[in-house]
Structures are given as structure tokens and as C-alpha cells.
């Protein structure tokens, strides 16, 4: 049937940069493109460009393990991630693109009474914000996921917190859907255009220096994920962000086995199965700061040990490949969507290892901020100065495993 697929054109134009725009978005990852999409859709009169130093989808948006969920606890985060989930649920209709959004459910396993209490509390917070949650004990779980190691485990599985609406989405499909939608609304998507500096006059941004020359802008929004500290340094800012590598792994294709997402609660390991049959899994970040898009062997060993502890049969599967992406780790594990001390320069960063699920709401809210100058209500606490003021959103202390 594939031989019948002929005459496909590019999904977006390849324009030359104009001398100036109303809004320039730096970074053609998921967050930059969704920002451009919602900016052009909801505030249509603006001249907008997305500047990407490589090709669209070459960063974390094309490297993640595709998990989407809104099982957060804290008031500073939960409404934001629930907005994102609602946008995911309508994404394919909104972009008219098959992003393979699959609400197959996430199972966060717990292994102690204390962890069950914490998950029960989290589940209650999720129910209050309409995210939906279900707590099951080991007996019920055994019927649902019989291949887990229930009988001979160092950390026995006592049950799981389930968010049935969580799941996965095809990450490239998300990039392409947002890019095409933004392009159709007149956004110039300019690839191979690296931002090398900012022109700032009297505390106000006037545009960006790029590998293709100066481009003027009334407002600049930076959404460069793992490159945040390097890019913002060019505007004279030192941020509460460290960059670390996060690795992911995929096995050879297997027959359908795992029809949901599972996170291990006693170690860093989480897993799902792709529609091609590969087991897609990951774990903790590499423990040192790095801008390299590849990790090191200790984490490979740690992740695979986690897999063996949770579902020993994984030892029979062959590993197909692994890769890494650069995480913008904020100091409280929560994101920043805010204007910076430079007037007209806005920041979208601090996504740690969980920014894929945030892609729709991040763009929606960053667009709102760029267009109106006001934070959207669900990002009101995601301020850049919260670290100095002591108003951190410390979700990490009680967070689920990375995904
Ligand atoms: P990116 O795609 O990295 O976009 C940033 C872009 O900025 C890049 O394309 C880069 O080339 C560009 N750029 C950088 N510097 C410049 C410059 N100077 N000029 C112009 N452009 C520039 N999140 C989840 O929610 N669920 C998951 O299951 C999950 N799993 C993950 C697994 C792995 C292995 C990794 C690496 C990440 C995972 N994440 C997950 C996190 C998620 O992928 C990121 O938080 C999110 O993709 C970051 O936002 P982005 O898509 O905009 O980033």
C-alpha cells in the first residue's frame, strides 16, 4: 500500500527570515512550536517567527519516552498539568494531525505503607482537580499486571495509584502537527538559525543576533529546554537551572505485552510499549552536569537493574538502542514561565524530565503571557523570582518517577 503514497509535499514552508517580527520564539522544540501555534491561533494578528538552530524535533521533543499524565499534587502545578491533559485530549482535532494520543493509563506502583499514604493524598488532589485517580491494592494489581515480580521482590509491590486518562503520544507527530498548524497561520518557521545573542537597549530587548544575521523583535520568548542556561547567559542572566543528561532505551519489537505505562516506586525505572512493539523505558538522570546528548554506563546499569527487579522477564529481551537528551533541571523540579528582568524578554524553562506532557499547556500559557503581558492563571506561581522569594513549588520531594 505504501507504493500508493506519492506526491507528498512538505508540511511547512522554508521561509527566509524577515528583518523584524512582533514575536520571536527561540527554539523549535515542542514548547516553542506549541507557543507559536497558540499565539497565531488565539492572538492571530501578530507577525511571528520560530528560530531553531537545528531541525524541528532534533531536541528533547524527539527524544522523550512520550508519557503524558496529570498526576501532580501541588496547587502550583496540578491545574497546569490538568489543562495540558485536556488540551491533549483535543489535540488531534485542533491540529487535524494524527499525534497518536493514547490514553492507556499510568500505574505508579507503591511498595510501603508510607508510600501508599502519599499516593492516596496525591490521588485525592487529582480527584479535586478532575484529573481522575484510582488506588488499587496488590491483589487487584496482580490480576491486571500478572508479569510483575510480586512474589520474590526485595521491595514487595503493595499496590498502585492509577490515572486512567494518562498515557502516551507520538512525539514527532506532536511536533509536526503544531508546526504545520503554526505555518498555516502565517508563522515563519526558520530552521538552521541559531540565536547567538540578544540586542538589549536600556533594559529592553530589540531583537536577536543569529547565525543568519540580526532579526528585530518587539518581544522574544526563549524555549530552548536543555540549552536554557547557555542561551540566557547571552542576555546576562544566571538561572537556577542545571543541565543533565536523561537517557532512554528501547528493546527489540515484541508482541503486545504492556498496554499501559508503569512506574517502579522503589527505584528509577518506568516502562511502556510502543505501537511498533518495542519496550520503551528509562530511569534517573546522569548525576553530573552536561550538555552532551548522550549518557554514561552507570545509569544504563541502574535502569536495567530496576527493570530486572520489577519484571525479571525483561532480561530475555534484547536492547535495540539507547539515547540521551539534555534536561533543564530547575532547583524545585517545577517549570518557569515568566517575563525576565529584561523588558520584552520572556522565559519558558525548567521542564526537568517531565516537559513532554506539558507541551500543549506550556505553549498555550506562554502564548498568553507573550500576547497579554500577564501570566495565565494556571502558571501564576511559575515565576522566575520564586527561588529568591522562597516560594518554590517543591513537587520533586513527592514526585513520581521520571517520565
Ligand atoms: P527541545 O525539543 O529540546 O527544544 C528546544 C529546542 O531549542 C531544540 O530543538 C534546540 O535545538 C533549540 N535551541 C537550543 N539552543 C538554541 C539557539 N541558541 N538558537 C535556536 N534554537 C536553539 N517528558 C514527559 O513529559 N514525559 C516523558 O516520558 C519524558 N521522557 C523523556 C525521556 C528522555 C530520554 C528525555 C531526554 C526527555 C524526556 N521528557 C519527558 C522531557 C521532555 O522531552 C522535555 O522536557 C521537553 O521536550 C522539553 O521541551 P522542548 O520540547 O521544547 O525541548
Amino acid at each position: 500500500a505504501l507504493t500508493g503514497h506519492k506526491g507528498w509535499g512538505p508540511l511547512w514552508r522554508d521561509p527566509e527570515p524577515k528583518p523584524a517580527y512582533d514575536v520571536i520564539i527561540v527554539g523549535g522544540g515542542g514548547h516553542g512550536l506549541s507557543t507559536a501555534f497558540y499565539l497565531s491561533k488565539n492572538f492571530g494578528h501578530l507577525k511571528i517567527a520560530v528560530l531553531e538552530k537545528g531541525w524541528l524535533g532534533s531536541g528533547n521533543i524527539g527524544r522523550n519516552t512520550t508519557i503524558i499524565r496529570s498526576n501532580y499534587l501541588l496547587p502550583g502545578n496540578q491545574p497546569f498539568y490538568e489543562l495540558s491533559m485536556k488540551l491533549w485530549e483535543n489535540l488531534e482535532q485542533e491540529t487535524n494531525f494524527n499525534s497518536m494520543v493514547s490514553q492507556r493509563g499510568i500505574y505508579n506502583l507503591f511498595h510501603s505503607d508510607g508510600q501508599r499514604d502519599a499516593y492516596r493524598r496525591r490521588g485525592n488532589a487529582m480527584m479535586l482537580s478532575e484529573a481522575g485517580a484510582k488506588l488499587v491494592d496488590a491483589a487487584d494489581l496482580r490480576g491486571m499486571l500478572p508479569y510483575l515480580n510480586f512474589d520474590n521482590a526485595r521491595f514487595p509491590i503493595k499496590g498502585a495509584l492509577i490515572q486512567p486518562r494518562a498515557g502516551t503520544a507520538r512525539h514527532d507527530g506532536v511536533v509536526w502537527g503544531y508546526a504545520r498548524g503554526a505555518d498555516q497561520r502565517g508563522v515563519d518557521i526558520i530552521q538552521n538559525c541559531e540565536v547567538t545573542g540578544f540586542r538589549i537597549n536600556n533594559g529592553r530587548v530589540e531583537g536577536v543576533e543569529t547565525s543568519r544575521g540580526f532579526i528585530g523583535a518587539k518581544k522574544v520568548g526563549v524555549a530552548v529546554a536543555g540549552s536554557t542556561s547557555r542561551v540566557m547567559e547571552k542576555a546576562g542572566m544566571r538561572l537556577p537551572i542545571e543541565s543533565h543528561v536523561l537517557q532512554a532505551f528501547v528493546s527489540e519489537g515484541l508482541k503486545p505485552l504492556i498496554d499501559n505505562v508503569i512506574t517502579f516506586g522503589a527505584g528509577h525505572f518506568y516502562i511502556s510499549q510502543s505501537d511498533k512493539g518495542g519496550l520503551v523505558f528509562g530511569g534517573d538522570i546522569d548525576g553530573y552536569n552536561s550538555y552532551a546528548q548522550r549518557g554514561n554506563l552507570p545509569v544504563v546499569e541502574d535502569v536495567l537493574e530496576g527493570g530486572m527487579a520489577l519484571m525479571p522477564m525483561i532480561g530475555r529481551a534484547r536492547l535495540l538502542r539507547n539515547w540521551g537528551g539534555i534536561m533543564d533541571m530547575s532547583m524545585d523540579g517545577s517549570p518557569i514561565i515568566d517575563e525576565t528582568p529584561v523588558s520584552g524578554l520572556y522565559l519558558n524553562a525548567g521542564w526537568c524530565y517531565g516537559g513532554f506532557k506539558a507541551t500543549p499547556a506550556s505553549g498555550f500559557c506562554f502564548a498568553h503571557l507573550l500576547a497579554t503581558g500577564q501570566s495565565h492563571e494556571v502558571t501564576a506561581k511559575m515565576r522566575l523570582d520564586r527561588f529568591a522569594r522562597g516560594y518554590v513549588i517543591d513537587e520533586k520531594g513527592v514526585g513520581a518517577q521520571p517520565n
Side-chain angles (χ1 to χ4, degrees), residues 20-354:
Y21 292 89
D22 294 319
V23 183
I24 283 180
I25 295 153
V26 186
H31 294 227
L33 290 166
S34 69
T35 303
F37 175 83
Y38 290 113
L39 204 49
S40 57
K41 181 165 182 271
N42 299 343
F43 307 93
H45 55 284
L46 299 167
K47 265 170 54 185
I48 305 162
V50 176
L51 308 183
E52 164 55 48
K53 77 170 175 188
W55 69 93
L56 298 192
S58 55
N60 294 339
I61 189 69
R63 293 165 183 267
N64 63 68
T65 39
T66 78
I67 297 164
I68 60 176
R69 57 183 171 93
S70 61
N71 53 359
Y72 282 71
L73 173 75
L74 297 178
N77 274 332
Q78 176 58 33
F80 170 80
Y81 286 101
E82 182 46 28
L83 169 65
S84 214
M85 186 54 79
K86 291 204 167 70
L87 291 168
W88 280 116
E89 285 170 334
N90 199 38
L91 180 73
E92 289 162 339
Q93 286 73 20
E94 204 167 17
T95 57
N96 189 24
F97 202 93
N98 182 6
S99 305
M100 295 168 68
V101 176
S102 163
Q103 292 181 285
R104 55 185 70 182
I106 189 166
Y107 290 53
N108 299 129
L109 306 181
F110 54 81
H111 308 260
S112 68
D113 293 346
Q115 212 176 10
R116 177 178 41 221
D117 290 349
Y119 277 9
R120 189 185 294 277
R121 180 171 175 233
R122 175 181 293 266
N124 283 331
M126 290 160 61
M127 307 246 275
L128 284 174
S129 75
E130 299 176 3
K134 216 168 125 184
L135 202 74
V136 294
D137 62 17
D140 282 346
L141 198 60
R142 199 183 272 263
M144 298 167 177
L145 310 173
Y147 48 82
L148 296 185
N149 187 5
F150 285 95
D151 295 321
N152 191 23
R154 182 170 173 201
F155 302 101
I157 299 166
K158 296 211 163 191
L161 175 65
I162 303 172
Q163 187 187 18
R165 287 167 63 234
T168 57
R170 169 81 196 271
H171 45 11
D172 307 303
V174 176
V175 176
W176 300 330
Y178 276 133
R180 185 181 69 169
D183 175 83
Q184 283 170 344
R185 289 172 176 81
V187 173
D188 282 355
I189 298 172
I190 302 163
Q191 302 181 73
N192 300 310
C193 182
E194 178 170 1
V195 169
T196 53
F198 297 88
R199 192 173 290 179
I200 297 167
N201 223 336
N202 285 329
R204 192 175 172 85
V205 74
E206 293 182 344
V208 290
E209 307 289 350
T210 80
S211 52
R212 294 168 70 169
F214 174 76
I215 309 176
K218 292 180 192 148
K219 293 183 178 175
V220 177
V222 176
V224 294
S227 301
T228 300
S229 14
R230 281 200 291 201
V231 171
M232 294 308 284
E233 190 185 25
K234 299 179 199 305
M237 276 174 228
R238 195 168 148 75
L239 298 176
I241 285 181
E242 281 183 14
S243 290
H244 287 257
V245 180
L246 180 66
Q247 303 190 52
F249 307 82
V250 66
S251 77
E252 61 187 330
L254 302 172
K255 287 186 177 170
L257 167 70
I258 301 178
D259 61 357
N260 44 37
V261 180
I262 304 167
T263 72
F264 188 26
H268 287 285
F269 180 80
Y270 63 94
I271 189 163
S272 66
Q273 187 169 18
S274 82
D275 291 346
K276 283 193 287 186
L279 301 179
V280 180
F281 54 95
D284 203 2
I285 51 175
D286 283 46
Y288 51 91
N289 295 4
S290 172
Y291 292 110
Q293 283 178 313
R294 56 184 296 180
N296 257 315
L297 286 172
V299 165
V300 177
E301 197 175 13
D302 183 65
V303 171
L304 297 176
E305 277 174 4
M308 287 297 289
L310 184 64
M311 38 187 294
M313 67 176 180
I314 201 174
R316 303 287 296 277
R318 277 172 295 194
L319 195 61
L320 194 64
R321 59 200 159 83
N322 70 320
W323 62 92
I326 315 166
M327 311 288 78
D328 38 333
M329 303 298 295
S330 66
M331 293 299 105
D332 60 357
S334 297
I336 298 159
I337 298 184
D338 203 0
E339 186 169 9
T340 71
V342 175
S343 181
L345 180 59
Y346 296 80
L347 180 64
N348 173 317
W351 294 104
C352 303
Y353 30 57

